[in-house]
Amino acid sequence: GMQSHLQALLSLYKLYCPELVTITLPGKMKTYFKNSEGPWKEAINTVRQRNQENSQVFRPLFLGTAQPQSRKRKWNTQLTIPASSTNRNNLDEDSEKNCVDLHRTNEPFPVEQLQTFSQLLQNIHRLEFPSQMGSVLTNPLLLHYMNCIKDESVNLRLYYWMGQTLQEECTWCVADNNVYEEEFKDFLETIYKTECFLQEGFSSCEEFLYKSLPLWDGFCCQSQILRLVSWIPLSSLSEIKSHLYDPLAQLFFTSSLYFKCSVLESLKELLQNWLNWHVIHLDSESDS
């Protein structure tokens, strides 16, 4: 006889392929696939609305109803790394005080005045980091600081900023956002270069990849995504398999030979980075 979960499955087939289901199904039954339409329902409704109105006015088309559109789009048309200013209002005043030998005082040292590596060494314990942490990604001196001083507050601020920016700007999670694909590529490229500089992957970038790879088409920002995959931090094999290998495998078996080679190259680099990490830490432990 008919079972409730089979009825639910047949009703799902009838929704998308009505010609395949000829039997009559009850109108009311328990929902077994609550998320089957979830991310696409709002997108479909928006397309229908747009076609009915026959209007050329731009409407944001969301693939998810939970995440709002990035608010920075209302004010900025480009995704840029912010300047490394801590307080621009006081910057002119600080420049007038250059005659004062700052490293003889206990006052914080603003990053705007950090120009050389020797200045970094002299003021490394007095640095005042910028209010906009994105500027750290393009400042080699501040990246040296992050490598030398394990400041939890700096890492947390960068973690939250980067995670939020990746989530809001991901071009395949917000439809009709392809116009911003190039700047999103540049942003991913900047993160990759920073990871190469630090010789370590960002945990916020790892979380972004694990969440977005199941939705990725294997084409958008292909080079940048596979490069970031090579810097995923060490974790358990079961987590890597479910979050990384399984989504890539679905694309691997249905994609071109070039994509297959690119995935294998990325995984080879991932293995090399893991081995290097182990060697460095084993050496440091033996020295201690």
Side-chain angles (χ1 to χ4, degrees), residues 264-279:
L264 292 176
E265 177 69 17
S266 177
L267 295 180
K268 185 198 76 170
E269 293 177 359
L270 174 63
L271 179 59
Q272 288 177 338
N273 291 331
W274 281 1
L275 293 174
N276 289 334
W277 185 90
H278 270 299
V279 169

Side-chain angles (χ1 to χ4, degrees), residues 11-230:
S11 67
L12 193 63
Y13 272 97
K14 193 162 187 175
L15 178 63
Y16 293 104
C17 303
E19 70 278 5
L20 299 181
V21 182
T22 57
I23 63 174
T24 302
L25 296 172
K28 293 183 180 181
M29 52 186 161
K30 186 177 179 181
T31 303
Y32 280 85
F33 305 97
K34 295 182 180 180
N35 297 324
S36 61
E37 303 176 335
W40 299 100
K41 190 173 182 180
E42 185 68 19
I44 293 171
N45 290 336
T46 307
V47 170
R48 287 174 178 167
Q49 227 174 10
R50 186 183 304 162
N51 291 339
Q52 288 174 359
E53 294 175 359
N54 195 21
S55 171
Q56 299 298 322
V57 179
F58 172 79
R59 285 174 174 269
L61 179 61
F62 295 104
L63 294 185
T65 58
Q67 298 298 332
Q69 189 183 20
S70 171
R71 279 184 283 183
K72 67 167 62 68
R73 293 297 181 206
K74 297 179 181 178
W75 315 109
N76 302 325
T77 57
Q78 295 181 345
L79 174 63
T80 56
I81 304 297
S84 60
S85 173
T86 304
N87 189 341
R88 298 301 299 181
N89 295 329
N90 297 329
L91 188 56
D92 295 334
E93 298 178 9
D94 293 336
S95 61
E96 295 174 0
K97 297 177 182 178
N98 281 340
C99 56
V100 180
D101 190 2
L102 285 177
H103 53 77
R104 289 182 182 176
T105 69
N106 292 323
E107 296 178 2
F109 188 87
V111 293
E112 290 82 4
Q113 298 183 19
L114 187 64
Q115 302 294 331
T116 64
F117 192 75
S118 59
Q119 281 184 321
L120 173 67
L121 294 179
Q122 292 170 355
N123 303 281
I124 196 167
H125 295 296
R126 302 193 298 109
L127 280 183
E128 183 183 12
F129 262 70
S131 56
Q132 295 176 301
M133 287 302 295
S135 58
V136 175
L137 299 181
T138 54
N139 191 319
L141 293 174
L142 295 182
L143 293 178
H144 276 302
Y145 173 89
M146 289 185 63
N147 251 346
C148 297
I149 305 296
K150 301 301 181 182
D151 190 335
E152 190 65 22
S153 63
V154 172
N155 292 330
L156 281 176
R157 287 177 60 196
L158 188 61
Y159 166 81
Y160 286 121
W161 175 83
M162 186 183 296
Q164 188 68 21
T165 305
L166 286 169
Q167 179 179 328
E168 290 183 349
E169 305 299 338
C170 182
T171 53
W172 59 86
C173 291
V174 180
D176 282 1
N177 201 22
N178 292 333
V179 67
Y180 305 116
E181 182 176 343
E182 287 303 318
E183 59 187 85
F184 187 61
K185 282 183 180 179
D186 293 339
F187 181 56
L188 296 180
E189 194 71 33
T190 300
I191 295 177
Y192 170 72
K193 291 178 180 178
T194 304
E195 291 181 332
C196 291
F197 185 94
L198 297 173
Q199 289 293 289
E200 189 175 358
F202 291 109
S203 56
S204 53
C205 187
E206 176 191 20
E207 292 177 7
F208 162 73
L209 290 172
Y210 286 166
K211 290 179 181 178
S212 60
L213 281 178
L215 304 174
W216 186 42
D217 59 2
F219 178 76
C220 182
C221 306
Q222 180 185 117
S223 175
Q224 291 75 21
I225 290 297
L226 293 179
R227 285 179 179 181
L228 292 177
V229 165
S230 66

